[in-house]
Amino acid sequence: MIDPAFLSHSPAAKQWHRIGVKHHHGLVLPLFSLHSSHSYGIGEFPDLIPMIEWCHSLGFDVIQLLPINDTGLGTSPYSALSAFALNPIYLGLSHLPYLEGHPLLQDELKALPKLSRSPHVEYNHVRENKERFLKHYFQQVGKQILGSEEYAHFIQKASWLKGFAVYKTLKSHYQWANWESWPTEFQNPTPELIDRLAAEHQEDVEWHCLLQFLCDRQLHRVKEYANHHRVFLMGDIPILIDRDSADVWLHRSIFDLNYSAGSPPDMFSKDGQNWGFPIYNWEQINQEGFRWWIDRLQWASRYYHIYRLDHIVGFFRIWAIPRGLTGKDGYFIPRDPATWIDHGQRILLTMMRECDMLPIGEDLGVVPLEVRACLSALGICGTRVMRWERMWREDSRFIPTQSYSPDAMTTVSTHDSEPLQLWWQNNEEEAQSYAHFKGWTYQPILSRDHHREILWDSHHSSSLFHINLLQEYLALIPGLTWPSLEDERINVPGILSDQNWSYRFKPTIEELIDNQTLKHTMQSLII
């Protein structure tokens, strides 16, 4: 077991110093899952403020978010149009500036439907309603905002903004078609072309810039509020970016479009997986001083204190599939396994040197032992999902949570897995094994007492981070979850479904905060 004091001497020492080498308890709160009396159909940036207060009152000090970048017409937060731009669907409409001087806008806002009492977010309706209102808002107060000193300061700092706004303008103009099907003259942007298009489509470009300014303004204030309450916001940085994104369009040289990333064949997929995202040209990225990655992380640090690095093993080696082939036709890049550790370590050291956020790695699945040893030496926490922490090379028995290493984040489930009760119901053999491990008499339905004990174990593991989905706690209190267990799931990987990424907490934020039974139960879990 690693002595936590070791982390103070690791390459991530300055990041650990900012967060504190101690036990941290937190919640996973997908922003789209929240809803309050002030939000319109989906969680909004300002909805995080009462959640920060609530977490602080519970003794929890981390709020983990899923990615909140602009996904365009899509819903998967891991398939964004930009590594920098925030999703305007999360704008808090009632918190916009200059509303008080425009009674017509106020009346229109009051007439907008809330759409907040079904188990799933209705993205199309929410997007259409919000965009219609925001267009009217832009017409009424856009000039005031665009002429403000605060906006000028934002424009100066956001070096990525003009290129993104031009890309978004063209996407809309060409009915959201992939940039690779645009007229040839627009497929290979240069600074001169960006400037020309920004001038030719000034109003549309300003519209997209204004939306990003408003998003930044709201989320940056959320972070300031979190600072005041000593609650840490944990963002999610997907390793890969969509092929049809502003970043690939603008920075073609740092991506290798001859391949797409995926995973090799395994027990879950005989043909492997092809995710469709391009891989990186790390040689070119290195020649450019890692500028794009550094800019990406430094911009994210405006909003977060900690960041989850999705598929962190991909920095060491990525399963690369030649275009048009299936996952089984891929191979790892770099090709030589002897280079993997040096390759990943160099990248991660650069990221830690240039950014004050503390990284936490998503190192689930098949990960070489040498990679985990490297992450530990760097002071980067891994992820320990209790149901998957087993002696797989021996007798598959579960590993006691007190045997977890301190440099880890313990959790009972993830956004890609079933919540605890659904897992217990759908996986009888595993549930029986876990009951035997705990010394319980197996029952086909997980009792609330046993559910509570598993959560208690997660908060008393040897890991320094203990973070769970909010719905795992809601399941302890009758009436706080949806009648169907399937409606408590966030995502089912590998399938296309309107239910993916649309999960909504049953209680409103106000109901959560006012529920004293829930409060006392959650407080008792971390004592």
Side-chain angles (χ1 to χ4, degrees):
M1 181 178 291
I2 299 174
D3 182 347
F6 168 81
L7 298 172
S8 299
H9 307 288
S10 72
K14 68 175 181 178
Q15 288 89 345
W16 275 104
H17 178 73
R18 289 164 65 91
I19 301 300
V21 183
K22 62 178 184 178
H23 288 281
H24 297 278
H25 304 275
L27 298 173
V28 181
L29 300 177
L31 188 51
F32 54 77
S33 301
L34 292 170
H35 56 116
S36 72
S37 61
H38 300 290
S39 52
Y40 289 87
I42 197 169
E44 298 179 340
F45 297 124
D47 287 332
L48 291 169
I49 287 178
M51 297 307 289
I52 289 168
E53 292 178 347
W54 187 58
C55 283
H56 179 71
S57 73
L58 298 173
F60 285 62
D61 68 349
V62 179
I63 289 177
Q64 179 183 338
L65 300 170
L66 300 190
I68 49 179
N69 295 92
D70 191 350
T71 58
L73 301 183
T75 59
S76 171
Y78 293 92
S79 184
L81 299 181
S82 170
F84 297 84
L86 297 172
N87 199 331
I89 202 170
Y90 297 128
L91 269 174
L93 301 186
S94 60
H95 292 76
L96 294 172
Y98 305 117
L99 278 177
E100 61 276 4
H102 295 270
L104 290 178
L105 285 176
Q106 293 179 38
D107 290 343
E108 185 178 349
L109 194 56
K110 290 175 184 176
L112 278 182
K114 297 287 186 171
L115 304 170
S116 294
R117 280 299 186 179
S118 65
H120 297 281
V121 176
E122 298 169 296
Y123 276 98
N124 288 338
H125 292 306
V126 173
R127 190 182 298 110
E128 290 166 5
N129 289 336
K130 283 199 161 188
E131 186 167 308
R132 183 170 58 251
F133 173 81
L134 286 166
K135 285 284 189 181
H136 295 164
Y137 175 82
F138 178 65
Q139 293 166 4
Q140 295 295 316
V141 305
K143 288 184 179 179
Q144 282 178 273
I145 296 175
L146 296 175
S148 69
E149 185 176 336
E150 188 180 2
Y151 178 79
H153 182 65
F154 172 73
I155 291 292
Q156 188 176 17
K157 290 179 69 72
S159 59
W160 54 270
L161 183 59
K162 182 190 286 186
F164 167 76
V166 169
Y167 166 84
K168 196 81 182 284
T169 296
L170 291 177
K171 282 287 286 182
S172 179
H173 180 76
Y174 290 111
Q175 288 75 51
W176 295 91
N178 190 301
W179 62 261
E180 292 174 272
S181 68
W182 296 350
T184 304
E185 63 176 316
F186 298 146
Q187 290 185 22
N188 298 288
T190 62
E192 294 75 22
L193 178 64
I194 296 296
D195 288 341
R196 176 168 70 82
L197 290 172
E200 292 175 357
H201 303 275
Q202 181 178 349
E203 184 173 338
D204 289 335
V205 168
E206 286 180 343
W207 152 251
H208 293 298
C209 289
L210 178 135
L211 290 180
Q212 288 306 309
F213 166 72
L214 294 172
C215 288
D216 175 85
R217 187 176 187 260
Q218 290 189 355
L219 189 54
H220 191 56
R221 289 182 177 180
V222 168
K223 186 187 178 186
E224 290 176 341
Y225 198 82
N227 289 340
H228 180 71
H229 286 78
R230 288 296 292 170
V231 170
F232 302 106
L233 298 181
M234 180 173 165
D236 193 323
I237 307 293
I239 181 176
L240 302 167
I241 192 74
D242 202 298
R243 185 183 180 99
D244 185 19
S245 65
D247 300 273
V248 175
W249 182 61
L250 290 162
H251 306 286
R252 202 77 44 80
S253 65
I254 68 172
F255 298 93
D256 190 338
L257 301 188
N258 295 310
Y259 297 90
S260 59
S263 62
D266 57 23
M267 60 185 293
F268 302 107
S269 175
K270 64 181 179 65
D271 292 328
Q273 297 180 44
N274 186 332
W275 303 330
F277 301 119
I279 67 172
Y280 290 105
N281 180 347
W282 286 112
E283 183 178 349
Q284 181 63 30
I285 290 174
N286 184 51
Q287 289 179 11
E288 296 181 11
F290 288 85
R291 189 71 261 158
W292 181 84
W293 265 103
I294 292 170
D295 287 348
R296 182 185 188 185
L297 292 178
Q298 288 182 344
W299 191 261
S301 69
R302 289 178 61 80
Y303 314 124
Y304 312 124
H305 307 89
I306 306 168
Y307 65 108
R308 173 185 180 271
L309 268 176
D310 180 57
H311 194 61
I312 197 169
V313 69
F315 290 105
F316 295 85
R317 49 94 172 126
I318 197 82
W319 188 253
I321 306 160
R323 286 296 307 281
L325 301 182
T326 66
K328 65 182 179 182
D329 302 306
Y331 46 83
F332 285 120
I333 292 179
R335 300 295 291 266
D336 183 1
T339 67
W340 290 352
I341 299 303
D342 286 344
H343 183 261
Q345 182 172 262
R346 184 178 71 254
I347 295 167
L348 294 173
L349 279 171
T350 301
M351 293 163 72
M352 287 187 289
R353 187 168 55 244
E354 299 291 342
C355 178
D356 287 339
M357 291 188 295
L358 177 70
I360 292 182
E362 184 274 288
D363 58 345
L364 304 174
V366 180
V367 177
L369 294 177
E370 298 83 357
V371 169
R372 288 210 167 100
C374 179
L375 295 177
S376 182
L378 293 172
I380 298 176
C381 286
T383 302
R384 303 293 170 260
V385 182
M386 290 166 59
R387 71 186 71 162
W388 298 331
E389 287 300 304
R390 305 175 71 167
M391 303 294 290
W392 295 110
R393 289 183 172 85
E394 299 175 17
D395 54 8
S396 297
R397 69 185 184 276
F398 288 93
I399 299 173
T401 55
Q402 284 303 310
S403 298
Y404 294 179
S405 60
D407 54 338
M409 181 190 82
T410 299
T411 187
V412 303
S413 55
T414 77
H415 60 263
D416 279 334
S417 71
E418 305 114 316
L420 200 51
Q421 290 190 357
L422 187 59
W423 167 70
W424 193 275
Q425 175 181 288
N426 290 349
N427 300 274
E428 182 178 348
E429 186 176 338
E430 291 183 43
Q432 287 178 342
S433 296
Y434 198 85
H436 177 73
F437 163 70
K438 292 291 294 179
W440 301 335
T441 300
Y442 169 74
Q443 299 292 334
I445 302 298
L446 181 65
S447 71
R448 286 197 172 92
D449 285 343
H450 287 164
H451 189 149
R452 183 190 182 283
E453 186 172 335
I454 295 173
L455 281 171
W456 193 93
D457 288 345
S458 78
H459 283 287
H460 291 81
S461 74
S462 300
S463 302
L464 291 176
F465 284 91
H466 319 264
I467 302 176
N468 290 304
L469 301 169
L470 174 59
Q471 58 263 49
E472 297 289 14
Y473 304 90
L474 300 182
L476 298 176
I477 312 299
L480 294 189
T481 54
W482 300 106
S484 169
L485 292 179
E486 294 288 348
D487 283 332
E488 291 295 324
R489 185 162 187 174
I490 295 172
N491 179 52
V492 181
I495 70 165
L496 294 175
S497 168
D498 289 340
Q499 292 199 2
N500 280 352
W501 313 115
S502 66
Y503 166 71
R504 177 180 280 135
F505 298 123
K506 186 180 179 185
T508 65
I509 290 174
E510 292 84 357
E511 289 166 344
L512 285 171
I513 292 171
D514 289 342
N515 193 306
Q516 294 303 303
T517 302
L518 177 64
K519 178 178 181 178
H520 295 150
T521 299
M522 294 179 69
Q523 288 174 326
S524 72
L525 291 170
I526 65 173
I527 294 174

